[in-house]
Amino acid sequence: INLILVFVISGFWHGANWTFIVWGALHGFYYLFAVIKNSYFRPRLPAAGLRGILHNGFNVIATFSLITFAWIFFRSPSIETAFAIIGKIASISFSDRLLTPWNTAELAFAVALILFMLAKEYFFNSINTKSTFTSVMLFTLLVLSIFIFGVFNQNQFIYFQF
């Protein structure tokens, strides 16, 4: 109960709207479920091998999906809007605009980004970050990524709007 209450309060701290309360409560339930799951399943699962890899992969996908779901409430202006968005997501079919060229480009970009992140995770420990050249190259890549993918013409940072 205390864990859920802390997250509900943190939701209220983000804004005085029911959407933020729901966002906080969802995080509290997610965390409570993780604590219960880890206390039950952690001793039974091997740390290495295919089962461990599948378990970790499932955890990553589940965490991303649940947190993304919670963000619907955080960014919605009202509970009704959030449920309307969830209803739209649940009613998506392949006959919708999922296969248009624009969405194909978005899908290709998403897949490329996922492959890049997987490669980064795999090779991260082998990169010599103490080398000046490597550090300069990584910093340059970071700055270029910010300029290429950054959004500079949008509204103010969300916390400046209060």
Side-chain angles (χ1 to χ4, degrees):
I1 302 284
N2 290 341
L3 288 174
I4 295 173
L5 186 60
V6 166
F7 281 99
V8 168
I9 292 170
S10 72
F12 185 69
W13 178 82
H14 279 84
N17 191 347
W18 282 108
T19 56
F20 296 109
I21 305 294
V22 171
W23 174 80
L26 283 172
H27 279 81
F29 283 115
Y30 295 162
Y31 189 76
L32 182 64
F33 177 76
V35 168
I36 292 169
K37 180 186 80 73
N38 287 338
S39 67
Y40 179 74
F41 287 110
R42 184 67 72 190
R44 293 168 177 77
L45 286 173
L50 182 60
R51 283 186 69 183
I53 291 170
L54 292 175
H55 181 257
N56 289 340
F58 174 78
N59 282 344
V60 167
I61 292 169
T63 300
F64 177 78
S65 300
L66 292 171
I67 297 303
T68 302
F69 177 78
W71 273 100
I72 294 171
F73 289 95
F74 189 88
R75 295 296 295 160
S76 294
S78 67
I79 294 288
E80 294 79 18
T81 305
F83 282 118
I85 292 169
I86 293 166
K88 279 291 210 181
I89 291 171
S91 66
I92 288 178
S93 68
F94 284 103
S95 64
D96 289 341
R97 298 180 315 163
L98 287 176
L99 301 177
T100 62
W102 177 251
N103 286 318
T104 304
E106 289 176 346
L107 179 64
F109 178 73
V111 169
L113 190 59
I114 289 170
L115 291 175
F116 172 76
M117 295 304 292
L118 289 173
K120 184 214 70 100
E121 286 294 320
Y122 183 76
F123 292 113
F124 183 74
N125 291 333
S126 63
I127 296 174
N128 182 10
T129 56
K130 293 182 181 180
S131 162
T132 304
F133 176 75
T134 304
S135 296
V136 168
M137 292 306 293
L138 288 173
F139 181 74
T140 304
L141 181 63
L142 173 68
V143 170
L144 283 174
S145 298
I146 291 171
F147 280 119
I148 291 170
F149 300 113
V151 179
F152 301 105
N153 59 356
Q154 292 292 325
N155 294 332
Q156 291 180 331
F157 183 59
I158 188 170
Y159 291 111
F160 294 155
Q161 297 175 14
F162 293 107

